[in-house]
Structures are given as C-alpha cells and as structure tokens.
Amino acid sequence: MDTPARLPDAVAEETLDPAGWEQTRALSHRIVDDAIDYLRDVRQRPVWQPMPAAVRASYEAPLPRRPTALADVYRALEERLMPYAMGNIHPRFWSWYMGAGNFTGALGEFLAAVQGSNLGGGNHAAAAMDQQVVGWCKQMVGFPATAGGTLESGGSMANLVGLTVARNVKAGIDVREEGMAALPRPLRFYGSDQLHSCHRKAVEALGLGNKGLRRIPTDAGFRIDIEALRQAIREDRAAGWQPACVIGTAGTVNTGAIDDLEGLARVAQEEGLWFHVDGCIGALIAMAPRHAHLVAGLARADSVALDPHKLLHAPFEAGCALVRDAEAHHRAFAVTPEYLETSPRGLAAAPWLHEYGLQTTRAFRALKIWMALMEHGSDKFGRLIDQNIEQARYLAGLIEAEPLLELAAPTTITIVCFRFRPPGLDGEALKALNTEIMLRLQEEGTAALSDTTINGEHCLRVAVNNHRTRRDDLDLLVRETVRLGREIAAAGAG
C-alpha cells in the first residue's frame, strides 16, 4: 500500500500592507510635507531640465527581486524623479495644451487610490460621485440633465466615444451586429483641416478609414469654411458617400480657433448629420463670464468631448464625453454578460458605468474633479479661464509692440503663435533660428513652449493654460526670446 505524500508545512501568509504602520505613517507625513513644498516653491525651479546620464541609466535597471525599504524607495524618487518632471505645473510651462494640476486634486487622486473602487459600475458612493461629476459637466456646457455622459482618460477617448455613437446612429443598419461591410454606402465624416490628429485615429478605429474623414478648408481665422462644407456634402452624396457627421472644433490645437458652432449646428440639422464638437481645448469657456460667447452653439451639439484635466486643471487623466441622446449612447457600448447583470438589491443594484464606453475596468477619476470644484466653486474656474484668455491677448500685444517679433496667426483664446524675425531672414534659416530659441528657453529652464507649422510657415506656439501664470512671466518670455534671438542670429552671422 502506497504511503500518502506528506503535506508541506504551512508557510506564513503574506500581504502588501506595511509591516510597521507607524513608520509608514511618519514617512507618509513627510511625503505630504515635501509635496506641499514642491508646489509652493515651483517658481524657484527650472521649468524643465534634462536628466543626467546616471539618472537616465537608473531607469534601465533590471526587475527588482528583493524588497527595498520604503524610505529608500522614496529617496530614489527624490533624486531621480521629482527634479526631472515634464514641467507642466510650472507657471512658465506653455508647451502644447495641458493643465497645471492642483493640490486638492492630487489629494483626491490619493484618496481615490486608497478607497480603491473600480468605476465599472456598481452600487457604491464612488459610482454615484462619478455620475454627479458627469452631471456637473453637462451643466458647464449647457447640456440637459437627461443627456448621457462618461468620464474618460482624456480627449482622444472622449472624442472616440462621441464619434462611435455618431457612426452607429447614422449607419442606417445595426453596425454592431453586422459590421461596416454591411453598409450600403460608405460613411463620410467632416472636420476642418485644423482638426486634431485623434480624429484620424478614431475614424480608422471605427472602420471608416482615413478617407472617410474629409478635411474642409478654413478661413483666414482658421475656422471651418461653412460654404465649402456644404459643397463637400453635395459632392459626396452625388459620388455615392453617405454624409454622417460633422465635427466642429471649439479651440484648435494649432491656434485656438473656434469654429462657427451655430453655423455648423444649422448645417447638421438641415443635412441630417450628427453634430459632434471637439471641445477639449475650449468647451469649458462656456463657464467664463467674459468669454462664454466664443462658444455659442456648443449646447446644440449631439455630442461633446471635453477635458477637465485642461481648463479645470485636474491631475491627469480626466476627460469627459457627453451625448445628448442617452439611449443612443448606451446602445453604442452596452454588453451585459451574465456575470455583470444588475440585481434588485446589493452591490450590483445600480447602473453599470462601463456600458457607456470601452473600458470595463475604470479608474475613479471623479474624486479629484469633485474635490477641486467643491473647494473653489465653478465660478472661480470660469474666472481663471477669462484670466488666461486675457493673458494670451496681453502677450499678443507685447509681440506686436516688439519690432523683432511677429504674430503668425490671430489670437482667439489662449494660444499665441509667433516668431522671432530679424531683417533679411526667411525659410529654413528662420526656422532653425526659432527652433534654437525654443530649445534654449527649455534648456535654460526659463520657459517651455512648442512649435508648429501654420500656412506652411514655422512658428513658436505658447498655450497659456496655466492658473499659476502671471503677466510678468509673459514679459520675461518676450525679453528672453529677443535676447536669445539676437545672440543666435549674431553667432550665425559671425
């Protein structure tokens, strides 16, 4: 008779909780103190600085197999991470179009992680707060309370949500069941030639292909040409396309131009098209008391994408998609397997929020937005938007007053495009000079700005979307740009 195998001795069960809670408490207090100092003293640091070779090499270390004391882990972050940030919390960070964060939002992000809820849905407070914040976003842009909405990672996903609903509603078939191959005619979406690149990704992901997105020319202010849009719709119908959706932009990424949203709403209504607005840069201007008129017509959209991590300065990530027809929104994404059905009581006795987007597992993004809005009130965020718009116009005035600088595009909201232009310099030489100015401003830690091409001409781009920016920061930018431009031009001439 075989002898039964001897069971192994019991091993100690493990956890990820701290072995010593009081030591962890002390270190955590220190981390919070350091974080407050980090934000308080942000002006004393360079906007950006390159990582030394040794720091960069540290990020090539192999997988750690053995534990490291938490205090040593934090020490490594102090030395290798915190000094080498992207810089977007700094008052002179104006690259691309981001937000500057806020400390209350950072606390919200921490508490959301501690609370640990999965926002796929369920009957719990975090899910209720998520829907409350979505409701607040509807109020900010003038959407009805009955509209659908979902928090997303950012503008790219929020736009994808809106365009997915547009495709499904306008396909004329059950595209979820039958697929794009069953369409009697290919769908065509429309947007200006200043449209953000995320829309190309979206239409490709939706099966329309890049050719399914027709770019419409813009006017002198970089707004979509309404008559050219009408002509394109007529041409496409005659050529066998099915016009389905027009995408308006409330704040283009290059210049901040805002399309005639009222005019686009009329075209969409007359032609039977879905009207989507990419409002990631400018939709929340609807909150600004002195400039809300710039986005008139926004509330007539069928869907809107916006970014609380931009004009509300929520810590990344925080986007939002709003869809006027809540049922159409739900139909576009809902899948209900047996393990995610609702129940009459208990944890599953609430809507499943994952049925309004692509993610089943969803982060608790609402808390950082909720806390900051509760602390400051939405009126203050509206005033900050006005403040940034007026600061951008102040900068445009400084540029116009400086003979060695020139504006490259009209300043509509908070984006200023300009170049240093000494006499007798054009083309590639002028581009090289301005690129070098941009890089030296970054490397010297003075300011972070980006560059772009407008009407075939290279220029520098300043996006004043920063609640810490002051007018004297913009004075400094102009002085340093002129100084560097003269130095670089003189060295080149020599």
Side-chain angles (χ1 to χ4, degrees):
M1 183 174 176
D2 294 336
T3 304
R6 184 173 179 272
L7 295 175
D9 294 334
V11 296
E13 295 176 310
E14 296 184 288
T15 178
L16 295 176
D17 287 336
W21 281 104
E22 292 310 309
Q23 287 180 317
T24 301
R25 185 192 307 277
L27 179 59
S28 298
H29 281 294
R30 179 189 156 198
I31 290 173
V32 171
D33 286 342
D34 290 350
I36 291 172
D37 293 345
Y38 188 80
L39 287 177
R40 181 197 63 194
D41 301 334
V42 63
R43 283 185 170 275
Q44 300 174 22
R45 298 194 302 274
V47 180
W48 175 86
Q49 59 182 340
M51 286 183 286
V55 171
R56 185 172 292 279
S58 72
Y59 290 107
E60 299 174 4
L63 174 71
R65 299 291 300 275
R66 303 287 182 181
T68 303
L70 184 56
D72 293 333
V73 173
Y74 178 56
R75 187 175 302 111
L77 297 181
E78 287 183 295
E79 296 171 356
R80 304 176 203 165
L81 177 73
M82 300 305 284
Y84 307 107
M86 186 179 210
N88 50 287
I89 67 168
H90 196 284
R92 293 192 299 276
F93 182 96
W94 304 305
S95 289
W96 307 296
Y97 202 96
M98 300 188 185
N102 70 89
F103 184 70
T104 302
L107 290 177
E109 192 82 316
F110 168 72
L111 291 172
V114 169
Q115 207 234 17
S117 293
N118 180 340
L119 268 292
N123 183 17
H124 54 99
M129 181 179 286
D130 182 287
Q131 289 302 280
Q132 182 178 33
V133 169
V134 169
W136 289 351
C137 289
K138 296 175 197 174
Q139 294 177 47
M140 291 174 200
V141 302
F143 258 43
T146 55
T150 179
L151 295 180
E152 293 290 336
S153 58
S156 295
M157 289 304 299
N159 278 302
L160 178 59
V161 167
L163 297 182
T164 300
V165 184
R167 180 200 65 176
N168 291 11
V169 168
K170 295 300 180 180
I173 64 169
D174 185 350
V175 73
R176 290 190 66 187
E177 182 65 25
E178 299 183 45
M180 296 294 286
L183 286 171
R185 295 189 299 162
L187 300 181
R188 181 84 100 173
F189 284 25
Y190 304 88
S192 85
D193 58 18
Q194 299 296 303
L195 209 59
H196 192 282
S197 59
C198 74
H199 295 286
R200 173 175 177 169
K201 291 184 178 183
V203 297
E204 290 174 355
L206 291 173
L208 279 68
N210 185 40
K211 289 184 178 179
L213 177 60
R214 183 164 178 174
R215 281 74 165 180
I216 306 300
T218 48
D219 62 18
F222 300 99
R223 297 163 299 192
I224 192 168
D225 185 322
I226 299 287
E227 288 309 309
L229 171 64
R230 290 184 184 276
Q231 179 63 27
I233 293 169
R234 288 193 294 267
E235 291 173 356
D236 285 347
R237 281 206 174 101
W241 291 88
Q242 181 177 330
C245 174
V246 58
I247 305 166
T249 302
T252 59
V253 70
N254 263 339
T255 67
I258 297 174
D259 287 334
D260 177 1
L261 302 180
E262 290 277 13
L264 290 179
R266 285 193 298 272
V267 172
Q269 183 177 28
E270 292 165 7
E271 299 288 349
L273 274 59
W274 185 275
F275 179 31
H276 174 77
V277 174
D278 178 352
C280 294
I281 285 178
L284 292 180
I285 293 173
M287 303 169 61
R290 292 192 293 277
H291 296 97
H293 64 277
L294 295 175
V295 292
L298 176 66
R300 295 181 61 184
D302 293 300
S303 55
V304 174
L306 54 94
D307 265 352
H309 62 216
K310 288 187 173 75
L311 292 180
L312 296 185
H313 302 287
F316 298 118
E317 306 163 336
C320 182
L322 302 177
V323 182
R324 180 176 300 279
D325 185 338
E327 180 55 33
H329 184 188
H330 186 253
R331 285 197 310 269
F333 295 100
V335 176
T336 309
E338 68 279 4
Y339 46 84
L340 290 176
E341 294 178 347
T342 56
S343 61
R345 300 193 314 279
L347 185 55
W352 288 106
L353 302 182
H354 68 82
E355 294 184 342
Y356 294 87
L358 291 170
Q359 292 179 279
T360 304
T361 299
R362 299 172 69 251
F364 185 12
R365 298 185 178 101
L367 182 53
K368 57 194 172 188
I369 306 169
W370 189 92
M371 285 182 67
L373 283 168
M374 288 293 291
E375 179 191 18
H376 298 291
S378 63
D379 286 355
K380 183 171 186 177
F381 285 97
R383 294 194 302 271
L384 287 171
I385 294 167
D386 277 334
Q387 177 175 289
N388 279 164
I389 291 173
E390 287 155 11
Q391 287 171 336
R393 292 175 180 175
Y394 173 76
L395 174 60
L398 294 177
I399 291 166
E400 289 180 309
E402 170 52 59
L404 288 171
L405 301 177
E406 68 174 9
L407 288 174
T411 300
T412 304
I413 47 171
T414 57
I415 296 177
V416 183
C417 296
F418 73 103
R419 62 179 67 87
F420 179 84
R421 187 159 201 166
L425 203 61
D426 283 297
E428 289 301 312
L430 185 63
K431 177 179 180 179
L433 171 58
N434 278 273
T435 301
E436 185 64 19
I437 291 171
M438 176 185 71
L439 296 176
R440 291 201 196 180
L441 286 169
Q442 292 174 7
E443 291 167 345
E444 292 177 5
T446 304
L449 44 153
S450 61
D451 59 351
T452 191
T453 302
I454 297 174
N455 289 336
E457 299 255 351
H458 175 266
C459 63
L460 302 178
R461 177 178 170 278
V462 175
V464 189
N465 181 43
N466 192 316
H467 62 87
R468 297 186 179 96
T469 295
R470 300 194 298 241
R471 291 195 177 199
D472 57 4
D473 293 311
L474 302 170
D475 294 331
L476 175 64
L477 170 64
V478 169
R479 288 197 307 271
E480 288 300 292
T481 298
V482 171
R483 177 186 68 81
L484 287 168
R486 285 174 167 157
E487 287 181 7
I488 297 163

Coordinates of all heavy atoms in Angstrom, one line a residue, residues 223 249-251 256-262 277 282-298 385-386 388-390 393 411-414:
R223 N -11.0 78.9 -39.1 CA -12.3 78.3 -38.8 C -12.8 77.6 -40.0 O -12.6 78.1 -41.1 CB -13.3 79.4 -38.3 CG -12.9 80.1 -37.0 CD -13.7 81.4 -36.9 NE -13.4 82.3 -38.0 CZ -13.7 83.6 -38.0 NH1 -14.4 84.1 -37.0 NH2 -13.5 84.3 -39.0
T249 N -14.8 72.2 -34.0 CA -13.8 72.3 -33.0 C -13.9 73.6 -32.2 O -14.0 74.7 -32.8 CB -12.4 72.3 -33.7 OG1 -12.3 71.1 -34.5 CG2 -11.3 72.4 -32.7
A250 N -14.0 73.5 -30.9 CA -14.0 74.6 -30.0 C -12.6 74.7 -29.5 O -12.3 74.3 -28.4 CB -15.0 74.4 -28.9
G251 N -11.7 75.3 -30.3 CA -10.3 75.5 -29.9 C -9.4 74.6 -30.6 O -9.2 73.5 -30.1
G256 N -6.0 77.7 -31.5 CA -7.1 78.0 -30.6 C -8.3 78.6 -31.3 O -9.2 79.1 -30.7
A257 N -8.4 78.4 -32.7 CA -9.6 78.9 -33.4 C -10.8 78.1 -33.0 O -10.7 76.9 -32.7 CB -9.3 78.8 -34.9
I258 N -11.9 78.8 -33.0 CA -13.2 78.2 -32.6 C -14.1 78.3 -33.9 O -14.4 79.4 -34.4 CB -13.9 78.9 -31.4 CG1 -13.0 78.8 -30.2 CG2 -15.3 78.3 -31.2 CD1 -13.5 79.5 -29.0
D259 N -14.5 77.1 -34.3 CA -15.4 77.1 -35.5 C -16.8 77.8 -35.2 O -17.1 78.0 -34.0 CB -15.7 75.6 -35.9 CG -14.6 75.0 -36.6 OD1 -13.7 75.7 -37.2 OD2 -14.5 73.7 -36.5
D260 N -17.5 78.2 -36.2 CA -18.8 78.8 -36.1 C -19.7 77.6 -35.7 O -20.3 76.9 -36.5 CB -19.2 79.4 -37.4 CG -20.7 80.0 -37.3 OD1 -21.3 79.9 -36.3 OD2 -21.1 80.5 -38.4
L261 N -19.9 77.4 -34.4 CA -20.7 76.3 -33.9 C -22.1 76.4 -34.2 O -22.8 75.4 -34.5 CB -20.4 76.1 -32.4 CG -19.0 75.9 -32.0 CD1 -18.9 75.7 -30.5 CD2 -18.3 74.7 -32.7
E262 N -22.7 77.6 -34.2 CA -24.1 77.9 -34.5 C -24.3 77.5 -36.0 O -25.3 76.8 -36.4 CB -24.5 79.3 -34.3 CG -24.5 79.7 -32.8 CD -25.9 79.3 -32.2 OE1 -26.6 78.5 -32.8 OE2 -26.1 79.8 -31.1
V277 N -18.8 68.0 -31.3 CA -17.9 69.1 -31.0 C -16.7 68.6 -30.2 O -16.9 68.0 -29.1 CB -18.5 70.3 -30.2 CG1 -17.5 71.3 -29.9 CG2 -19.6 70.9 -31.1
G282 N -11.5 74.1 -25.7 CA -12.3 75.3 -25.4 C -13.7 75.1 -24.9 O -14.4 76.1 -24.7
A283 N -14.2 73.9 -24.8 CA -15.7 73.8 -24.4 C -16.0 74.5 -23.1 O -17.0 75.1 -23.0 CB -16.1 72.3 -24.4
L284 N -15.1 74.4 -22.2 CA -15.4 74.9 -20.8 C -15.2 76.4 -20.8 O -15.5 77.0 -19.7 CB -14.5 74.2 -19.8 CG -14.8 72.8 -19.6 CD1 -13.9 72.1 -18.5 CD2 -16.2 72.5 -19.2
I285 N -14.9 77.1 -21.9 CA -15.0 78.5 -22.0 C -16.5 78.9 -21.7 O -16.7 80.1 -21.4 CB -14.5 79.0 -23.3 CG1 -13.0 78.8 -23.4 CG2 -14.8 80.5 -23.5 CD1 -12.4 79.1 -24.8
A286 N -17.4 78.0 -21.9 CA -18.8 78.2 -21.6 C -19.0 78.7 -20.2 O -20.0 79.3 -19.8 CB -19.6 77.0 -21.9
M287 N -18.0 78.4 -19.3 CA -18.1 78.8 -17.9 C -17.6 80.2 -17.7 O -17.8 80.8 -16.6 CB -17.3 77.8 -17.0 CG -17.6 76.4 -17.1 SD -16.4 75.4 -16.3 CE -16.4 76.0 -14.6
A288 N -16.8 80.8 -18.6 CA -16.1 82.0 -18.4 C -17.1 83.2 -18.6 O -17.6 83.4 -19.7 CB -15.0 82.1 -19.4
P289 N -17.2 84.0 -17.6 CA -18.3 85.1 -17.7 C -18.0 86.1 -18.8 O -19.0 86.6 -19.4 CB -18.2 85.7 -16.3 CG -16.9 85.3 -15.7 CD -16.6 84.0 -16.3
R290 N -16.8 86.4 -19.1 CA -16.5 87.4 -20.1 C -16.3 86.8 -21.5 O -16.3 87.6 -22.5 CB -15.3 88.2 -19.7 CG -15.5 89.1 -18.5 CD -14.4 90.1 -18.3 NE -13.1 89.5 -17.9 CZ -12.8 89.1 -16.7 NH1 -13.6 89.3 -15.7 NH2 -11.6 88.6 -16.5
H291 N -16.2 85.5 -21.7 CA -15.8 85.0 -23.0 C -16.7 83.8 -23.4 O -16.4 83.1 -24.4 CB -14.4 84.6 -23.0 CG -13.4 85.7 -22.9 ND1 -12.8 86.1 -21.7 CD2 -13.0 86.6 -23.8 CE1 -12.1 87.1 -21.9 NE2 -12.2 87.5 -23.1
A292 N -17.7 83.5 -22.6 CA -18.6 82.4 -23.0 C -19.2 82.5 -24.4 O -19.5 81.5 -25.0 CB -19.7 82.2 -21.9
H293 N -19.4 83.7 -24.8 CA -20.0 83.9 -26.2 C -19.2 83.3 -27.3 O -19.7 83.0 -28.4 CB -20.2 85.4 -26.4 CG -18.9 86.2 -26.5 ND1 -18.2 86.6 -25.4 CD2 -18.1 86.5 -27.6 CE1 -17.1 87.2 -25.7 NE2 -17.0 87.2 -27.1
L294 N -17.9 83.1 -27.0 CA -17.0 82.5 -28.0 C -17.4 81.1 -28.4 O -17.1 80.6 -29.5 CB -15.5 82.5 -27.6 CG -14.9 83.9 -27.3 CD1 -13.5 83.7 -26.7 CD2 -14.8 84.7 -28.7
V295 N -18.1 80.4 -27.5 CA -18.5 79.0 -27.9 C -20.0 78.9 -28.0 O -20.6 77.9 -27.7 CB -18.0 78.0 -26.8 CG1 -16.5 77.9 -26.9 CG2 -18.4 78.4 -25.4
A296 N -20.7 80.0 -28.4 CA -22.1 80.0 -28.6 C -22.4 78.9 -29.6 O -21.8 78.7 -30.7 CB -22.6 81.3 -29.1
G297 N -23.5 78.1 -29.4 CA -23.8 77.0 -30.2 C -23.4 75.6 -29.7 O -23.8 74.6 -30.2
L298 N -22.5 75.7 -28.7 CA -22.0 74.4 -28.2 C -23.1 73.5 -27.7 O -23.1 72.3 -27.9 CB -21.0 74.7 -27.1 CG -20.4 73.5 -26.3 CD1 -19.5 72.7 -27.2 CD2 -19.6 74.0 -25.1
I385 N -10.3 81.0 -16.5 CA -10.3 80.8 -18.0 C -10.3 82.2 -18.6 O -9.5 82.5 -19.5 CB -11.6 80.1 -18.4 CG1 -11.5 78.6 -18.0 CG2 -11.7 80.1 -19.9 CD1 -12.8 77.8 -18.1
D386 N -11.1 83.2 -18.1 CA -11.0 84.5 -18.5 C -9.6 85.1 -18.3 O -9.1 85.8 -19.2 CB -12.0 85.4 -17.7 CG -13.4 85.3 -18.3 OD1 -13.6 85.1 -19.5 OD2 -14.4 85.6 -17.5
N388 N -6.7 83.6 -18.3 CA -5.7 83.1 -19.2 C -6.0 83.7 -20.6 O -5.0 83.9 -21.4 CB -5.8 81.6 -19.3 CG -5.0 80.9 -18.2 OD1 -5.2 79.7 -17.9 ND2 -4.1 81.6 -17.5
I389 N -7.2 83.8 -21.0 CA -7.5 84.4 -22.3 C -7.0 85.8 -22.4 O -6.3 86.3 -23.4 CB -9.0 84.4 -22.6 CG1 -9.5 83.0 -22.8 CG2 -9.4 85.2 -23.8 CD1 -11.0 82.8 -22.9
E390 N -7.2 86.6 -21.3 CA -6.7 88.0 -21.3 C -5.1 88.0 -21.2 O -4.5 88.9 -21.8 CB -7.3 88.7 -20.1 CG -8.8 89.0 -20.4 CD -9.6 89.2 -19.2 OE1 -9.1 89.3 -18.1 OE2 -10.9 89.2 -19.3
R393 N -3.9 87.5 -24.8 CA -4.0 88.7 -25.6 C -3.0 89.8 -25.1 O -2.5 90.5 -26.0 CB -5.5 89.2 -25.4 CG -6.5 88.3 -26.1 CD -7.9 88.7 -25.9 NE -8.8 87.7 -26.6 CZ -10.1 87.7 -26.6 NH1 -10.7 88.6 -25.9 NH2 -10.8 86.8 -27.2
T411 N -4.9 85.6 -32.4 CA -5.1 85.0 -31.1 C -6.5 85.1 -30.7 O -7.1 86.1 -30.4 CB -4.2 85.8 -30.1 OG1 -2.8 85.8 -30.5 CG2 -4.3 85.2 -28.7
T412 N -7.2 83.9 -30.7 CA -8.6 83.8 -30.4 C -8.8 83.6 -28.9 O -9.7 84.3 -28.3 CB -9.2 82.7 -31.2 OG1 -9.0 82.9 -32.6 CG2 -10.7 82.6 -31.0
I413 N -8.2 82.6 -28.4 CA -8.4 82.3 -26.9 C -7.0 82.4 -26.2 O -6.5 83.4 -25.9 CB -9.2 81.0 -26.7 CG1 -8.6 79.8 -27.6 CG2 -10.6 81.2 -27.0 CD1 -9.2 78.5 -27.2
T414 N -6.4 81.2 -26.0 CA -5.2 81.2 -25.1 C -4.0 80.7 -25.8 O -3.0 80.4 -25.2 CB -5.5 80.3 -23.9 OG1 -5.9 79.0 -24.3 CG2 -6.6 80.9 -23.0

